[in-house]
Amino acid sequence: MLKLTGGFLIILAGSLLGGCLAWEQDRICQEMRYLQGLMLRLRGELWYSRTMLPDIFRRLAREVKEPYDRWLSEMADRMCRKDGGNLVEIWSQGVEIHLTENMIPEKERQRLMELGSFLGHADIEMQIRYLDRYLEEFADAIKERQSMLGEKKKLYRSLGVIGGILIAVMLI
Amino acid sequence: MIPALFLCIFSSVSQYNGVKRWTKVNNKTNNLESIWKILPLRIRDPLSAQISDKDVLQEIRLRAGQKVLFYCDGQEHTLKTKENCMITPEEVQETIQYATGYSLYAYEQELKQGYITIEGGHRIGIAGQVIMEQNGVRNFRYISSVNIRVAHQVRGCADAVMPYLTSQGNVYSTLIIAPPGCGKTTLLRDMIRQIANGCDHLKGKTVGVVDERSELGGCYLGIRQNDLGVRTDLLDACPKTDGMLMLIRSMGPEVIAVDEIGSAEEVGILRYAMHCGCRTLATVHGESYQEIRDKPLFEDFFRMQLFERYVVLCRGERIGQLEGVYDHQGTKIC
């Protein structure tokens, strides 16, 4: 009886683990969509208001969730302090410090860091074109992830249950 | 007691002898911190240590491959540092980066004019290799020189001339004539301030200012950095021809002020403004009253006596030296 209960609990744990991993895939997609929305707003602010980047970052920081608000505020503060560092460094260091824990895949984080080298230049149209290209590639990445989302979730859940059964059988 | 009496007599004589020189440029009211923050990191401390009296700082010049030069009270100085005191091209870029808030695109129009205005109304002149397009300068390919001019509003510099420019609570339409660098913009700014705030000679009036080159108001992010008075409406970075019409149609100014009129179109709009009943303050480049009088461009102004006063500044030991004030017939009254 005890063995059966133990086995049941192991299978349950395995299923829950599989469920958590499946839920994480959902979260990653949601986080990517949120970042996409943030970048779209940045594009809009750049194109229409043409104000300075620190002002745009501060404005966006008031309206977004963590950790993006901290990322944007910290970049704006550093730019206003004028104590060294070019925009590429400020942007990429900000991404490294604030956006490591937010479930964005590493590949997308690297792509976001590279975006910093295209901002702040004199040619606003060039910047918008790069932002548009970034947004297109990001949208493709989201689409690809979403197309595989259903299968991945099933896979994780199945693996969780099967793994639990396997361990339970081995122990029993 | 006796020295104080002597001082009173001396100051009152110097005010009314027709040659009024402005007092020493005083930067106490100006925010120099905004200038310090845009300098390359390497030179901030050495420069700050070398300038003993920052109140008289007028310009800092950074040129790639050259030493740092700065000007205090008309005197040129060189920055002395322990290490290499030559400015590198990267440090010039660093200055531009700080001045534009890492957002060069936001200063596209200013760059076409060759300058950027920063917080405090200080102006940064730019030189280097330009990119041309059909209509003129499009942008800068390489920026090699930067000239940081400290904004200096001299409150009270119009005190000596205001009594001659007002009568029975009204302002005369006035043309300020001066060679470049003699202080006509500084004088105009203080006249605007006194007219807008009111002074001993008249009540405050609504003044409309068209500040095409952002020199009068020194606007930064839309906020004027210089004091133009409480009743002044400012159109910043707006062409004079469009701006004067906009002000007349929408802001109901009693006085309109513009800086450096020089084209037939601007003269035409100015004439229209005067016919609309606005008193007008304007400046023009010139060495003397006679030189402007002889110019065909201003023939109508003199023929119709549209300007009632002419204030002429001349080159002298100090900026703002007054040559004389003339009435509408060209008679020198001061």
Side-chain angles (χ1 to χ4, degrees), chain B residues 50-310:
Chain B
Q50 196 170 329
I51 301 175
S52 52
D53 185 4
K54 290 180 179 53
D55 289 340
V56 296
L57 177 64
Q58 291 167 295
E59 275 184 14
I60 301 172
R61 289 185 179 254
L62 308 177
R63 297 182 175 97
Q66 306 293 330
K67 293 184 181 178
V68 176
L69 297 178
F70 60 94
Y71 298 81
C72 291
D73 212 9
Q75 301 291 320
E76 182 184 276
H77 304 272
T78 308
L79 175 65
K80 295 174 181 57
T81 57
K82 285 178 190 168
E83 311 120 357
N84 173 27
C85 49
M86 301 291 192
I87 287 290
T88 64
E90 290 76 25
E91 283 171 331
V92 174
Q93 289 305 317
E94 189 183 343
T95 303
I96 297 296
Q97 193 173 254
Y98 293 151
T100 59
Y102 300 84
S103 312
L104 215 49
Y105 61 87
Y107 289 85
E108 188 182 346
Q109 293 305 317
E110 286 89 340
L111 285 172
K112 282 183 183 178
Q113 307 289 328
Y115 68 87
I116 296 167
T117 305
I118 63 171
E119 189 178 8
H122 310 296
R123 171 158 297 198
I124 302 181
I126 291 169
Q129 189 180 61
V130 300
I131 303 168
M132 295 298 293
E133 61 179 3
Q134 284 172 347
N135 300 332
V137 174
R138 184 185 168 192
N139 214 317
F140 279 83
R141 182 174 287 120
Y142 304 114
I143 295 174
S144 58
S145 300
V146 155
N147 173 19
I148 304 168
R149 289 176 61 184
V150 179
H152 54 276
Q153 177 165 16
V154 185
R155 285 190 179 83
C157 65
D159 288 351
V161 297
M162 284 306 288
Y164 302 99
L165 308 183
T166 56
S167 172
Q168 295 172 339
N170 270 320
V171 179
Y172 288 125
S173 287
T174 302
L175 183 66
I176 301 172
I177 301 166
C182 285
K184 55 184 177 305
T185 303
T186 307
L187 179 63
L188 177 63
R189 189 186 295 122
D190 199 52
M191 283 168 59
I192 293 167
R193 184 187 66 83
Q194 293 202 29
I195 292 168
N197 284 344
C199 54
D200 292 340
H201 318 285
L202 80 168
K203 274 172 62 175
K205 297 205 177 284
T206 304
V207 183
V209 177
V210 186
D211 194 6
E212 187 167 1
R213 297 181 312 157
S214 302
E215 283 193 315
L216 288 166
C219 281
Y220 173 70
L221 300 182
I223 300 170
R224 65 180 90 151
Q225 307 292 298
N226 293 321
D227 181 8
L228 292 178
V230 298
R231 295 179 183 82
T232 299
D233 302 307
L234 179 68
L235 273 175
D236 181 52
C238 180
K240 288 190 270 288
T241 48
D242 296 329
M244 281 191 268
L245 287 174
M246 284 165 68
L247 285 172
I248 291 167
R249 285 169 189 162
S250 61
M251 300 307 288
E254 294 171 271
V255 180
I256 280 191
V258 290
D259 195 16
E260 290 195 23
I261 51 168
S263 70
E265 214 181 357
E266 288 167 359
V267 168
I269 299 291
L270 206 59
R271 212 168 45 228
Y272 170 76
M274 287 162 144
H275 285 312
C276 287
C278 294
R279 303 297 173 146
T280 308
L281 309 175
T283 70
V284 69
H285 281 307
E287 297 284 337
S288 64
Y289 168 84
Q290 198 56 46
E291 181 192 320
I292 299 301
R293 198 194 167 103
D294 291 340
K295 280 190 175 171
L297 186 64
F298 301 106
E299 190 187 333
D300 281 348
F301 285 139
F302 290 92
R303 186 170 48 81
M304 295 191 281
Q305 295 180 350
L306 290 175
F307 280 113
E308 292 146 307
R309 290 290 184 269
Y310 299 89

Side-chain angles (χ1 to χ4, degrees), chain A residues 91-145:
Chain A
W91 177 276
S92 55
Q93 283 167 12
V95 172
E96 266 179 36
I97 293 169
H98 295 287
L99 301 187
T100 317
E101 310 278 330
N102 70 333
M103 306 190 82
I104 298 289
E106 183 58 30
K107 189 178 168 189
E108 299 310 322
R109 194 172 301 114
Q110 286 300 322
R111 211 196 319 246
L112 183 63
M113 282 170 67
E114 286 165 12
L115 183 62
S117 53
F118 299 114
L119 295 177
H121 298 286
D123 189 348
I124 185 72
E125 286 167 8
M126 183 265 297
Q127 292 176 79
I128 296 299
R129 275 200 296 275
Y130 271 112
L131 262 171
D132 284 342
R133 194 182 78 171
Y134 166 82
L135 285 165
E136 265 175 41
E137 289 173 359
F138 199 46
D140 288 342
I142 293 174
K143 206 170 166 186
E144 191 186 329
R145 197 164 261 276

